[in-house]
Amino acid sequence: MDNFGYKVELFLKDFIDAGGYRKVIAGLGNTLSIAVVGLIIGILIGTIIAAVRVFPKYKLMPRILNGICSLYVEFFRGTPMVVQLLLSYYVLLPLLGVRGADSVVVAMVVFGLNSGAYISEIMRGGILSVDPGQMEGGRAMGLSFGTTMMKIVIPQAIKNILPTLGNEFITLIKETSIVSFIAALDLYKAFNDIGTNNYEFIVPYLVMAVIYILLVLIISIGVRLMERSLRKGDRSM
Amino acid sequence: MIEVCNLTKKFGDLTVLENIDLKIEKGEKVVILGPSGSGKSTLLRCLNCMEDPTSGCIFFHGVDIADMKVDINVHRQKIGMVFQHFNLFNNKTVIENIMLAPVYVAKKKARRASIRKFFGKSYVAEDIKKVSEIKSEARENAFRLLTQVDLVEKANEYPSRLSGGQKQRVAIVRALAMNPDVMLFDEPTSALDPEMVGEVLEVMKDLAESGMTMVVVTHEMGFAREVADRIIFVADGIIAEDAPPEEFFDNPKSPRLREFLSKVIH
Ligand SMILES: Nc1ncnc2c1ncn2[C@@H]1O[C@H](COP(=O)(O)OP(=O)(O)OP(=O)(O)O)[C@@H](O)[C@H]1O
Ligand SMILES: [Mg+2]
C-alpha cells in the first residue's frame, strides 16, 4: 500500500507540478472533438446513404448510387478502423501529395467516414420503422421523395434511433483511443506519456479509465434526457 | 379533368386492372364500389400515379401524367388525396400539417421566379413573395379551412391527440389547403369508429356541394346514393358498371353487380 501511495505521489507530481494536466486537457479536448465531429459527419453521411438505399430502384441511376453506397458500407465495416486510419494517414495522404496534415483532423474525417457506414445501417432501420403512410402522405401532396424524407420521415426515424445513436457516440469516444497510431494526442496518449516519464503506468491508467467511464456516463444521461424531452415535445408514441 | 385510357396495372403476375377507360368531368362526383381486393384502391391510386400504371395513359388537364418524363409532383399538388389511415405527419402539429406543402410550394415558386427575374427571363410577378408573407397567407387559409370543419381549437395539437374523425377532417383540410382541382378519397371512413363516420361524411357532402370534383372509394351506400353523379363498379379487373345512382342500385345490368348488391343490401 505504501508502494501505491508513492506511485500516486509520483503521478500527482507529474500531473500537477510538471503540468501533465495540460496535456490531459488537450487530449480530452481532442478525444471529444474527434468523437463529436466524427458523429456529425457520420450522421450526415449515414442519412444520405440510408435515403439512397430506401429510394425506389426502378431506374438505373438509383441502382448505381445504391451500388456505390453498398461498396462504401462494406469497405468501412469490413476493415478495422486502425487500418483505415493508417491507410489514410500514411498511404492516401502522401499519395495525394499532402504533407504535414493535422492528425486530429485526419482522425475526425476517418471517424466520420467510418461511423457514416454504421449509422447508415442504423438510419435505414429507423427509416423503415416509420409508417410508410408518412411517405405516402407527403408524396400525395406533391412533395418530392427527398423533401418528404427530410421533413417528415427522417425526423421521426431519428427519434426512433436516438438511443442507438447515443451508443454509437459512446463507441466513438472509446475508439478514439486508437488515434495515437497516427500520433494524435488523445486522452490515452496523454496518460500514456505521463506514465512513460517514470515507467509507472498503474495510476495514470486507472485515472484514465475513470475519466472514460465518467464521459460515457454523462453521455448516457444526456441521451436519456434528450429522449424524454423529445417524447414530451410530441406525444405520438 | 381526368381521362384514363387503356389503363392496365399488374403486380408481378397478378393483373389487377385491365384496359380500363374512364372519364371524369369537372365538378363530377364519382363513387367507386366493388368487392374487396377488386382493385378499387389501385384504380384510385393510379389517378395520381401513386401506383405507376403498367400501361395506358392518365390525362390530367390534358397532360399524360403516367408518362415518366413529366414532373409528377407538380400535378399531384392539384390532386388532393385522403387515405383510409389519414397519414397525417406525426411529427407536425395540425396547423403545421396543413401549412407544410402550401408553404413549401409557394417558397419554391418564389425562388424560381426570383431567379428568372434575375436573369431577365419572363416570370409571374405575383409569385415573388417574402417568406413571411407566404406563411401568413398559408396560415390564414389554414384557419379558414379549420373553421369550416370546426377544428380551430385543435390547431396546435399533434395528430396523436386527435380522435379518428378529427384526424380525417384535418387530412381533408390538409389536402384542400393546396387548392386542388380534384379530390381522391380511399375509404375515408373505413378506419373510423361508427360514431365518427357521420362527421367525416358531413364534411365530404359540404365539399361536394361546393362543386369540388371528387372520386370516392367507399362502402357507404347511403353516401354513394346521395352524393354520386355516377357510380362505378370495379370487378375482375374491369369496370363492370358505370351508371347514375338510381340506375346503379335499382336497375343494375351486370350480373356481377347484381350479385354484389344482393350481398351488401339486405
Ligand atoms: N403493392 C402491391 N403489391 C402487390 N399486390 C398488391 C399491391 N397492392 C395491391 N395488391 C393486390 O391487388 C389487388 C387489388 O388491391 P386493391 O387494394 O386495389 O383492392 P381494393 O379493391 O382496394 O380492396 P379493399 O376493399 O380491400 O381495399 C389485391 O389482390 C391486392 O392484394
Ligand atoms: Mg382499398
Side-chain angles (χ1 to χ4, degrees):
Chain A
M1 217 51 228
D2 224 29
N3 192 20
F4 188 71
Y6 170 70
K7 286 177 178 171
V8 171
E9 236 168 71
L10 257 184
F11 170 74
L12 286 178
K13 213 176 98 221
D14 268 350
F15 187 72
I16 296 166
D17 303 338
Y21 68 92
R22 273 189 239 120
K23 207 169 209 181
V24 168
I25 289 172
L28 179 64
N30 285 345
T31 287
L32 285 176
S33 46
I34 291 168
V36 169
V37 175
L39 185 74
I40 292 169
I41 298 176
I43 289 175
L44 290 177
I45 293 178
T47 304
I48 294 168
I49 293 179
V52 169
R53 298 193 90 174
V54 298
F55 191 90
K57 296 176 193 63
Y58 311 123
K59 295 188 190 162
L60 188 60
M61 201 55 201
R63 281 198 204 162
I64 293 173
L65 286 175
N66 190 55
I68 294 172
C69 289
S70 303
L71 278 179
Y72 178 97
V73 172
E74 289 310 319
F75 173 76
F76 279 98
R77 301 212 313 172
T79 52
M81 180 121 70
V82 190
V83 173
Q84 295 158 20
L85 215 50
L86 294 174
L87 278 179
S88 311
Y89 195 69
Y90 293 112
V91 180
L92 190 61
L93 286 179
L95 272 180
L96 294 173
V98 180
R99 255 164 251 290
D102 185 338
S103 54
V104 173
V105 175
V106 174
M108 284 172 176
V109 173
V110 173
F111 271 66
L113 294 174
N114 180 284
S115 75
Y118 286 90
I119 291 176
S120 76
E121 294 290 296
I122 299 171
M123 189 67 80
R124 183 159 72 145
I127 289 172
L128 294 177
S129 76
V130 174
D131 168 19
Q134 298 288 302
M135 177 55 78
E136 251 187 6
R139 293 311 307 271
M141 308 277 310
L143 301 175
S144 67
F145 177 89
T147 307
T148 313
M149 210 53 175
M150 290 308 299
K151 287 182 184 277
I152 308 299
V153 178
I154 286 174
Q156 294 181 50
I158 286 185
K159 202 181 70 184
N160 293 347
I161 62 171
L162 202 68
T164 324
L165 279 183
N167 286 337
E168 175 66 15
F169 186 46
I170 289 170
T171 306
L172 283 177
I173 293 258
K174 292 187 291 189
E175 283 195 354
T176 51
S177 56
I178 60 170
V179 298
S180 55
F181 273 91
I182 58 170
L185 173 70
D186 73 321
L187 206 51
Y188 156 75
K189 182 128 190 333
F191 279 106
N192 195 58
D193 286 357
I194 291 176
T196 311
N197 288 343
N198 310 301
Y199 288 94
E200 273 302 343
F201 292 96
I202 295 176
V203 181
Y205 282 0
L206 281 175
V207 176
M208 172 176 77
V210 169
I211 294 181
Y212 273 122
I213 288 173
L214 283 178
L215 278 181
V216 169
L217 257 175
I218 291 168
I219 295 162
S220 310
I221 293 170
V223 169
R224 218 164 299 148
L225 288 178
M226 208 147 76
E227 246 183 294
R228 202 177 300 164
S229 78
L230 269 179
R231 205 156 284 161
K232 224 184 289 168
D234 117 24
R235 273 157 278 209
S236 70
M237 289 285 128
Chain B
M1 171 133 340
I2 295 180
E3 190 172 347
V4 176
C5 51
N6 233 335
L7 167 69
T8 295
K9 177 65 187 177
K10 296 179 185 175
F11 291 109
D13 290 337
L14 176 71
T15 304
V16 179
L17 301 172
E18 202 161 14
N19 296 324
I20 299 256
D21 289 303
L22 175 66
K23 207 167 181 173
I24 294 158
E25 302 293 348
K26 187 168 186 306
E28 238 185 338
K29 289 96 184 87
V30 177
V31 166
I32 302 176
L33 293 181
S36 177
S38 60
K40 305 181 294 294
S41 298
T42 305
L43 174 57
L44 191 78
R45 292 164 58 84
C46 280
L47 297 183
N48 62 349
C49 294
M50 292 295 283
E51 299 290 353
D52 287 315
T54 307
S55 66
C57 310
I58 315 282
F59 287 102
F60 176 59
H61 288 316
V63 179
D64 180 12
I65 58 172
D67 184 345
M68 285 306 218
K69 283 191 247 19
V70 304
D71 180 0
I72 187 66
N73 295 327
V74 174
H75 297 286
R76 280 190 190 143
Q77 285 157 14
K78 289 291 156 204
I79 308 177
M81 189 169 216
V82 173
F83 301 88
Q84 183 174 356
H85 296 286
F86 330 121
N87 295 355
L88 291 177
F89 306 137
N90 292 327
N91 59 329
K92 305 275 178 200
T93 61
V94 166
I95 191 78
E96 287 168 347
N97 261 278
I98 302 169
M99 287 171 59
L100 181 86
V103 168
Y104 182 79
V105 169
K107 273 192 196 166
K108 202 166 173 179
K109 255 192 194 163
R111 220 177 307 135
R112 285 242 170 98
S114 310
I115 293 172
R116 289 187 71 87
K117 184 182 178 188
F118 182 81
F119 286 108
K121 292 187 191 159
S122 68
Y123 66 97
V124 185
E126 294 92 73
D127 283 352
I128 299 187
K129 288 180 193 163
K130 275 190 273 179
V131 175
S132 58
E133 199 181 338
I134 289 171
K135 281 193 177 153
S136 71
E137 261 173 38
R139 183 177 301 274
E140 212 171 284
N141 193 36
F143 273 109
R144 183 179 60 79
L145 290 165
L146 277 177
T147 312
Q148 285 174 14
V149 298
D150 209 14
L151 282 174
V152 173
E153 75 279 11
K154 299 289 181 192
N156 295 311
E157 293 285 7
Y158 282 91
S160 56
R161 308 254 296 166
L162 304 181
S163 73
Q166 291 169 335
K167 281 184 198 172
Q168 197 59 298
R169 282 183 283 155
V170 171
I172 293 172
V173 163
R174 178 176 72 171
L176 288 175
M178 295 295 282
N179 216 351
D181 297 329
V182 50
M183 288 279 285
L184 312 178
F185 295 83
D186 192 0
E187 302 200 28
T189 56
S190 296
L192 300 178
D193 291 337
E195 75 267 21
M196 293 173 185
V197 170
E199 64 191 57
V200 171
L201 290 181
E202 225 29 68
V203 169
M204 291 171 63
K205 282 178 199 166
D206 289 347
L207 189 60
E209 256 162 50
S210 77
M212 176 63 75
T213 312
M214 292 164 73
V215 185
V216 185
V217 175
T218 185
H219 293 298
E220 296 290 331
M221 298 300 160
F223 177 86
R225 198 183 265 275
E226 191 184 330
V227 176
D229 297 316
R230 270 159 72 202
I231 304 178
I232 284 169
F233 181 69
V234 177
D236 307 322
I238 58 161
I239 293 179
E241 189 106 4
D242 181 348
E246 309 78 49
E247 202 181 318
F248 186 94
F249 286 113
D250 305 335
N251 191 12
K253 290 193 189 61
S254 93
R256 198 76 174 75
L257 173 57
R258 258 178 257 146
E259 182 195 326
F260 176 77
L261 288 177
S262 72
K263 274 188 208 148
V264 267
I265 299 170
H266 312 279

